[in-house]
Amino acid sequence: MLIDEDRLHIAIQKNGRLSDISRDLLKGAGLRLQNGRNALTARVENFAADIMFVRDDDIPTFVADGVCEFGIVGGNVLEEFRLSSRGPAVEIVAELGTARCSLKLAAPDATSWDGPQSLAGQRIATSYPRIVERWLAERRVDASVVKMNGAVELAPRLKIAPFICDLVSTGATLEANGLRAVADVFDSEAVLIRTTRSVAAVRQELGEALLSRIQGVLETKDAKYILLNASSESLPAITRILPGAEAPTIIPLHGRPGHFAVHAVARESVFWETLEQLKGAGASAILVLPIEKMML
Ligand code: ATP
Ligand code: MG
């Protein structure tokens, strides 16, 4: 693969749970990808960046080696990589708040569980051996870990191991296999990672620009612009209710002494209940508008 010195390289998952999340985030940051689903790389038409579509397990390696300056990966995959590599050549630059899941220890419904000591001398099947080994070491439990690359939930039935440690979001897969979760080992969400290797000045600058756009996308995810009218007496109560808004703009209303227009950016979700509370505190003509872009 020819690495273009003047362009950024971003590794995202080719096919899987993180592919759409990653594409949407880049799209939100204004990047237009050229190629379709089956290509291994895509050139961004309107930003000096190339996207590489890879297996999620390879993303930390690509970023740590500096082949890609950025990557989007599950926190679980990153943690497993960090525990197995010598130096931390990657850093998390944004938590994306999606693809939330947990690595959980689970066992067949009938297995007795009295806390981590129940694992002593037992085998645990998992795709994340290093995370599990650390968890066991922290609890001073002596158990053996068997690495499986997939279909971990079948391990108890196949008599490979009586316990498993696997990713769970709703628990439906565990239930379908007659398993129940007994302990939480690691909580994960998708993260944006960046190489900590030194990068040519051009790419460093492109990276800062990309990061600033992505932070803007994450900031605006739940953000709304709120406009309302209020009398001077009700202003303190109203500004207290406004969700996650710092320093609202307060403008006198022409021809209505003692009355003001309040404009504020709310960083948290604005619910109907919030509007009802604002109204109750004396606000009128309340408008909630979406924010399309934001740069701080
Ligand atoms: P690849 O072919 O790229 O190796 P994979 O099969 O290893 O893909 P996926 O199943 O697509 O990986 O999951 C990718 C990431 O999505 C996981 O590493 C995890 O961070 C997250 N994830 C996994 N399972 C769930 C789940 N049930 N709910 C939410 N997020 C999940
Ligand atoms: Mg994988």
Side-chain angles (χ1 to χ4, degrees):
M1 198 183 301
L2 214 64
I3 295 297
D4 192 332
E5 283 293 318
D6 296 337
R7 299 176 75 82
L8 270 186
H9 304 86
I10 308 166
I12 67 173
Q13 192 188 23
K14 182 166 167 47
N15 281 311
R17 294 173 197 268
L18 299 176
S19 346
D20 285 344
I21 293 168
S22 309
R23 284 169 177 270
D24 289 350
L25 183 68
L26 297 176
K27 216 190 291 169
L31 274 55
R32 256 200 322 269
L33 310 195
Q34 263 174 353
N35 298 357
R37 290 244 158 212
N38 290 320
L40 295 176
T41 63
R43 189 149 267 240
V44 179
E45 287 171 27
N46 56 350
F47 192 92
D50 291 326
I51 313 298
M52 308 206 176
F53 302 107
V54 296
R55 292 282 306 264
D56 68 344
D57 316 74
D58 294 332
I59 292 173
T61 313
F62 272 51
V63 177
D65 289 353
V67 174
C68 291
E69 290 79 21
F70 288 93
I72 297 172
V73 70
N76 49 310
V77 171
L78 177 66
E79 191 67 8
E80 185 70 17
F81 171 82
R82 280 180 161 169
L83 293 174
S84 61
S85 63
R86 265 154 288 123
V90 297
E91 58 176 350
I92 296 179
V93 284
E95 285 164 351
L96 305 181
T98 55
R100 289 187 194 277
C101 55
S102 301
L103 260 178
K104 289 187 198 253
L105 267 168
D109 294 325
T111 308
S112 67
W113 177 256
D114 282 319
Q117 284 307 328
S118 306
L119 295 164
Q122 302 283 357
R123 283 155 70 89
I124 306 165
T126 185
S127 306
Y128 301 90
R130 295 205 159 84
I131 297 178
V132 175
E133 275 158 7
R134 178 182 60 183
W135 189 89
L136 291 168
E138 283 167 359
R139 284 156 188 79
R140 300 184 194 287
V141 175
D142 197 8
S144 53
V145 175
V146 188
K147 170 147 194 205
M148 284 178 72
N149 289 317
V152 173
E153 65 279 2
L154 298 181
R157 233 185 300 158
L158 301 177
K159 307 258 182 273
I160 295 168
F163 288 90
I164 67 161
C165 187
D166 204 10
L167 287 175
V168 178
S169 58
T170 60
T173 310
L174 288 184
E175 205 176 306
N177 287 285
L179 302 169
R180 73 185 164 108
V182 292
D184 255 343
V185 171
F186 186 81
D187 290 327
S188 174
E189 66 181 293
V191 291
L192 175 71
I193 56 175
R194 178 168 65 181
T195 189
T196 55
R197 288 177 185 269
S198 70
V199 164
V202 194
R203 281 182 282 151
Q204 180 71 30
E205 216 167 285
L206 286 166
E208 294 306 324
L210 177 72
L211 195 53
S212 151
R213 287 192 191 189
I214 288 180
Q215 274 154 353
V217 173
L218 298 172
E219 287 277 351
T220 48
K221 215 165 34 143
D222 293 318
K224 293 278 183 277
Y225 197 74
I226 302 184
L227 300 103
L228 57 86
N229 290 348
S231 65
S232 51
E233 309 83 72
S234 53
L235 280 178
I238 286 172
T239 47
R240 263 198 307 276
I241 297 167
L242 285 171
E246 305 123 37
T249 307
I250 298 177
I251 312 158
L253 283 178
H254 185 65
R256 288 187 69 193
H259 284 77
F260 298 88
V262 178
H263 290 205
V265 173
R267 297 295 174 90
E268 297 154 25
S269 305
V270 179
F271 302 102
W272 280 108
E273 288 77 4
T274 317
L275 300 197
E276 285 155 7
Q277 283 171 13
L278 287 168
K279 194 157 193 291
S284 62
I286 310 169
L287 286 180
V288 180
L289 309 177
I291 294 175
E292 198 181 287
K293 293 191 176 65
M294 183 148 87
M295 187 169 283
L296 301 172

